[in-house]
């Protein structure tokens, strides 16, 4: 997918790609016809999925694991950091995978 991204696409769609990292805005994947936006929106989708899993795990593990509050806080902080990294990559026009998330997003065929 990275191979199909042109410099013109990047320059035209930096802001939209960056906005895709704002929680539910990964839906821009289906709304914008840009390979650059799709590249970043897929990574945002993976981060959003991890957010949902963490939220559900809070209900299941909240009373079972005494330190769950602290653990989930650390994981949430990590996911937020990945969002910030992705946002920075997108707004600066980098076609670079977000750590951890990029390889997962690359294997998703939507």
């Amino acid at each position: 997918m990275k191979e199909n991204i042109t410099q013109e696409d990047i320059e035209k769609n930096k802001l939209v790609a960056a906005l895709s990292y704002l929680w539910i805005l990964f839906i821009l994947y289906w709304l914008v016809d840009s390979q650059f936006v799709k590249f970043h929106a897929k990574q945002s989708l993976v981060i959003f999925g991890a957010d949902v899993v963490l939220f559900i795990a809070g209900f299941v593990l909240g009373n079972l694991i005494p330190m769950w509050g602290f653990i989930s806080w650390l994981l949430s902080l990590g996911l937020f950091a990945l969002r910030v990294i992705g946002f920075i990559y997108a707004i600066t026009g980098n076609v670079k995978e977000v750590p951890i998330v990029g390889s997962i997003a690359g294997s998703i065929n939507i």
Side-chain angles (χ1 to χ4, degrees), residues 28-96:
L28 291 170
Y29 180 89
W30 292 280
L31 301 176
V32 178
D33 187 28
S34 162
Q35 292 301 312
F36 184 64
V37 172
K38 290 179 185 295
F39 175 78
H40 284 286
K42 277 175 64 172
Q43 293 181 107
S44 178
L45 174 62
V46 171
I47 296 170
F48 180 79
D51 277 333
V52 170
V53 168
L54 185 60
F55 179 77
I56 293 170
F59 286 108
V60 175
L61 301 174
N63 293 326
L64 298 175
I65 300 175
M67 294 288 293
W68 180 252
F70 179 70
I71 294 167
S72 67
W73 178 80
L74 285 176
L75 292 172
S76 292
L77 187 62
L79 290 173
F80 179 74
L82 292 175
R83 281 190 185 284
V84 170
I85 291 168
F87 182 90
I88 291 169
Y89 286 170
I91 203 72
T92 57
N94 282 314
V95 184
K96 196 170 175 184

